[in-house]
Amino acid sequence: MKHFPLKSLLVLFIFFIGATTFAQTELKGKVADFLTFESIESASVYIENTTIGSITNADGNFVLKVPQQHLQDTLVISSIGYKSFKVVISEFENGSDIFLEEDVASLDEVVIVADPRPTTGNGIVEKALEKLPKNLPEQSYLQKGFLRHKERNKKEYKWLIESAITLYDSSYASGAKNNLKINVDETRKSYDLRDVDSLFTYSAYLKSMNSKASNLNRNSIKTSSIIEAIKWNDSRVNGLENLFKGKLNLVRNSNVTGALLGKNMLEKHQFELDTILVDNGRKIYKIKIEKGADFVGLNTPNIYNEGFEPKGWIYIYYDNYAIKKVEYELVAASDVQKKRSKSLFDTQTIHKLVITYKDYEGKMYPNYIYYETPKLVNTGDRSSDRIKTEAEPGFDKDEQYYYTIQEILFSDIIQDPELIKQELQQNDWSADIFSSKPYHESFWKNYNVLLESKEEEKLIQDLSKRASLYKE
């Protein structure tokens, strides 16, 4: 049996106990492009040979809490297409700006080699999927992570949750539906200012209950009933289990029937090799995701999810075909879906997903997930699911259309079978991020979180002044 490293046990103790006296050093800095001085978003910031890390926010800023036993280890700051920055943590100048230089490999140099290798985007992606059993974890593991769930219109936040979560996965070979679990461990922020009057959601809720949903009028529906419908909609659209166990977990679930990157993916996707970049000294393919001959559909029960085309990028390591990063969007493409998406959501992009992976001991583990989707709310006192038009009184386009964003940053990876067994027995394993929990200040003192951008700080401050569920 594999022995669990002492350092990881110390970090794990922090998670299990919640309160600790272990001292930590907080590192702060900003990452930018050497030539343009522009901020680099989502750059990796981590302690070498550990799973302790974070990423930069939209402003290029980061914060990382480092346990004292790692002060003589190496801090690594890396981003695809740039040369990495490395420094001993004790010698890092806190609060400094770090400028990364561009690092691009020659496409011809690495593609034209003696060994037979796929030279097209389609071939490289197929090879990467073929290699998944080797590149993804073969044994069960736990990961600790931080979730920030935001719902907003174009003016302000309407809903915000921040939680510490635990992910359990029994391995890539097993189906996610029955062998992957998520638990919400702690919650530190919970604000809710959403308007509770969505007849569109209520209509869908009634249909799911096999109830009649015609000629609805807001005045005839109890507020408590609509609240119940919105909670139901939260879970089905934005629930953590849906994100991890469904088709949008593109890489992990590519081995299930009907997967977006599964057996028949080239019918709905085409992949074009763009260039070769460098990531922390390793060559990496940059491949463009384009539409195939057929539309993409998610076939999600009770949700209109047909008639889309894919777009985005996928980054695959040259040496072992491990998938490092996927940027994936589904955009309305059929005539019906274009019309519906524009009228109900004011956008053609219905799903936007970014997943990055961390190479740890030769296996790729989830590192960061960004998921964005629009949501129709505030339909008003109407008998149908349509929204107000610009000609009607009270129309405000910036307030009418909402979207939800979920960001997850994963940190510690736990592989020890005994520790996994203990956690599986102790946790209730509830992925409900919408249920209120008590706030434990001591727990968060040593927990790495996503640093808020300047815009987020302002929106959160504005929201916290008015929110009815402020927990801190």
Side-chain angles (χ1 to χ4, degrees), residues 19-42:
T20 178
T21 58
F22 294 149
Q24 298 206 38
T25 297
E26 187 174 84
L27 304 184
K28 292 183 177 181
K30 181 176 181 178
V31 183
D33 185 289
F34 178 78
L35 293 178
T36 66
F37 297 97
E38 292 183 358
S39 302
I40 299 177
E41 184 178 1
S42 298

Side-chain angles (χ1 to χ4, degrees), residues 151-159 193 195 398-399 402 459 462-463 466:
E151 184 172 297
R152 59 173 297 184
N153 56 29
K154 295 180 180 179
K155 287 186 175 181
E156 61 184 2
Y157 281 160
K158 304 298 289 188
W159 170 262
L193 290 182
D195 295 324
D398 289 343
E399 292 185 349
Y402 283 40
L459 291 173
D462 292 343
L463 179 59
R466 300 171 290 129

Side-chain angles (χ1 to χ4, degrees), residues 261-276:
L261 298 185
K263 183 178 179 181
N264 300 316
M265 70 172 180
L266 294 183
E267 295 177 2
K268 300 176 180 178
H269 303 78
Q270 289 292 295
F271 303 92
E272 180 183 350
L273 176 58
D274 181 78
T275 189
I276 302 287

Side-chain angles (χ1 to χ4, degrees), residues 43 89 282 345 466:
I89 293 173
R282 297 172 64 184
F345 305 116
R466 300 171 290 129

Side-chain angles (χ1 to χ4, degrees), residues 173-404:
S174 60
K177 184 175 181 180
N178 299 316
N179 298 284
L180 187 151
K181 298 180 179 180
I182 307 101
N183 189 66
V184 177
D185 302 325
E186 296 279 342
T187 298
R188 73 171 191 173
K189 290 180 180 177
S190 180
Y191 316 109
D192 190 355
L193 290 182
R194 294 172 299 178
D195 295 324
V196 187
D197 61 355
S198 176
L199 294 184
F200 179 80
T201 295
Y202 187 69
S203 175
Y205 173 67
L206 290 180
K207 290 178 181 178
S208 74
M209 305 290 288
N210 296 317
S211 299
K212 189 176 180 180
S214 60
N215 299 320
L216 296 178
N217 187 294
R218 177 64 183 91
N219 293 331
S220 64
I221 305 172
K222 293 181 179 179
T223 298
S224 59
S225 298
I226 295 189
I227 291 176
E228 191 67 28
I230 287 182
K231 288 182 177 179
W232 166 80
N233 194 49
D234 284 337
S235 298
R236 71 167 185 151
V237 177
N238 303 114
L240 288 179
E241 287 199 350
N242 289 339
L243 180 58
F244 282 100
K245 295 186 178 185
K247 290 185 179 181
L248 289 173
N249 198 348
L250 302 172
V251 178
R252 167 63 177 86
N253 297 336
S254 63
N255 57 352
V256 302
T257 302
L260 294 180
L261 298 185
K263 183 178 179 181
N264 300 316
M265 70 172 180
L266 294 183
E267 295 177 2
K268 300 176 180 178
H269 303 78
Q270 289 292 295
F271 303 92
E272 180 183 350
L273 176 58
D274 181 78
T275 189
I276 302 287
L277 300 173
V278 177
D279 179 56
N280 199 25
R282 297 172 64 184
K283 294 181 177 66
I284 191 167
Y285 293 111
K286 181 182 180 182
I287 297 171
K288 188 176 183 180
I289 302 172
E290 299 177 316
K291 65 178 180 179
D294 195 8
F295 292 129
V296 173
L298 296 184
N299 303 309
T300 307
N302 301 313
I303 301 179
Y304 197 95
N305 256 326
E306 304 301 317
F308 298 102
E309 62 183 32
K311 60 183 293 189
W313 301 92
I314 184 168
Y315 300 83
I316 299 172
Y317 282 125
Y318 175 83
D319 53 10
N320 64 351
Y321 293 97
I323 296 174
K324 168 64 177 178
K325 183 178 183 180
V326 180
E327 300 173 358
Y328 188 89
E329 294 184 11
L330 285 179
V331 181
S334 69
D335 291 339
V336 172
Q337 190 58 261
K338 283 182 178 179
K339 182 178 179 180
R340 182 180 185 277
S341 297
K342 178 64 178 176
S343 64
L344 294 182
F345 305 116
D346 194 39
T347 179
Q348 299 297 315
T349 301
I350 306 299
H351 300 280
K352 180 178 181 181
L353 178 72
V354 177
I355 304 178
T356 64
Y357 291 86
K358 175 182 295 185
D359 188 341
Y360 181 66
E361 296 185 347
K363 301 293 181 180
M364 305 301 290
Y365 293 84
N367 181 47
Y368 172 72
I369 297 175
Y370 175 99
Y371 176 54
E372 178 181 327
T373 184
K375 181 187 289 185
L376 176 66
V377 296
N378 195 24
T379 58
D381 189 12
R382 314 197 64 83
S383 60
S384 69
D385 64 6
R386 77 176 186 86
I387 60 173
K388 292 180 179 179
T389 65
E390 295 186 27
E392 293 179 271
F395 177 84
D396 188 334
K397 191 173 183 179
D398 289 343
E399 292 185 349
Q400 184 71 66
Y401 301 102
Y402 283 40
Y403 61 93
T404 299

